[in-house]
Amino acid sequence: MSENIKVAVRVRPFNQREKDRGAKLVVQMEGDTTIIKHPKNECEPKKFSFDFSYWSHDGYKEDETGYMYPDSPQYCDQERVFKDLGEGVLTNAWKGYNCSLFAYGQTGSGKSYSIVGYGANRGVIPVVCQKLFSKISEKVTANPKDEYEVTLAMIEIYNEQVRDLLNAETMKIKRWFKRFVSTQKKGFI
């Protein structure tokens, strides 16, 4: 596995439109390998290896908070995605490195769910922010003279147009991001 770049793929559940059309599952995961089978003929399946191949199509249950937790060993929940991808971002941020997450895929493929999440199923970014700002708060409490600067950008490139996802004039700022408040003279959004 690469130290600088990690590549992960994730298979999401069928959406209602796909269910209504009788979509056939053509993807399976075996460890870090993603296998794609042709839906109509028995030709040799295509195999692709990644740092992580996450199965989130089925094999989960929902708890009372709405969190989708594994009901089978194959299912990958948001906690596992954070553990595999987000913890490295935090570790490197504390070492002073710039960190990036890049989600790529067609509309409706599950990028926002993995990166931002919804409800109790928080994605990588809100968990990273929560842990980062909690740690800053602890450090500032222990040493009030310390100052920390955090810069975060979220952009979307769609149809060759770049949009700043944190610009209130062009986009609603996500509710989870508004919760981070100032802890010192210099503040956070």
Side-chain angles (χ1 to χ4, degrees), residues 63-68 78-79 113 117-123 127:
D63 69 15
E64 63 281 349
T65 69
Y67 186 78
M68 292 182 273
Q78 294 288 72
E79 286 182 24
Y113 177 72
Y118 63 85
N121 299 284
R122 296 185 314 150
V127 176

Side-chain angles (χ1 to χ4, degrees), residues 7 32 43 55 62 81 95 105 131 159 164 170 172 174:
V7 179
D32 296 336
C43 63
W55 181 262
E62 223 172 292
V81 173
K95 291 178 180 178
K131 290 181 179 290
N159 285 339
D164 181 348
T170 61
K172 288 182 183 176
K174 296 287 184 186

Side-chain angles (χ1 to χ4, degrees), residues 107-181:
T107 299
S109 63
K111 301 175 301 294
S112 293
Y113 177 72
S114 294
I115 298 299
V116 178
Y118 63 85
N121 299 284
R122 296 185 314 150
V124 174
I125 296 297
V127 176
V128 164
C129 287
Q130 182 268 318
K131 290 181 179 290
L132 181 67
F133 289 115
S134 291
K135 186 76 165 185
I136 288 172
S137 181
E138 288 174 22
K139 288 178 173 276
V140 168
T141 299
N143 193 348
K145 292 183 181 185
D146 285 355
E147 291 186 7
Y148 296 86
E149 182 177 335
V150 176
T151 303
L152 175 71
M154 289 180 69
I155 63 167
E156 172 184 69
I157 302 170
Y158 182 73
N159 285 339
E160 299 182 21
Q161 299 292 315
V162 178
R163 187 166 56 157
D164 181 348
L165 298 179
L166 299 179
N167 182 339
E169 293 178 15
T170 61
M171 204 62 192
K172 288 182 183 176
I173 296 176
K174 296 287 184 186
R175 188 177 22 161
W176 58 264
F177 196 71
K178 287 182 181 178
R179 286 189 224 144
F180 300 115
V181 295

Side-chain angles (χ1 to χ4, degrees), residues 90-110:
L90 269 176
T91 299
N92 286 323
W94 283 116
K95 291 178 180 178
Y97 294 109
N98 291 323
C99 303
S100 297
L101 287 174
F102 181 80
Y104 178 81
Q106 69 186 46
T107 299
S109 63

Side-chain angles (χ1 to χ4, degrees), residues 9-11 24-30 33-50 53 55:
V9 295
R10 190 174 193 186
V11 178
K24 184 176 179 183
L25 185 62
V26 297
V27 177
Q28 67 185 76
M29 307 287 197
E30 292 179 5
T33 301
T34 299
I35 302 165
I36 302 175
K37 297 179 181 179
H38 193 284
K40 294 184 179 174
N41 65 40
E42 297 296 321
C43 63
E44 186 70 24
K46 303 289 183 191
K47 295 181 179 186
F48 304 92
S49 293
F50 301 95
S53 288
W55 181 262

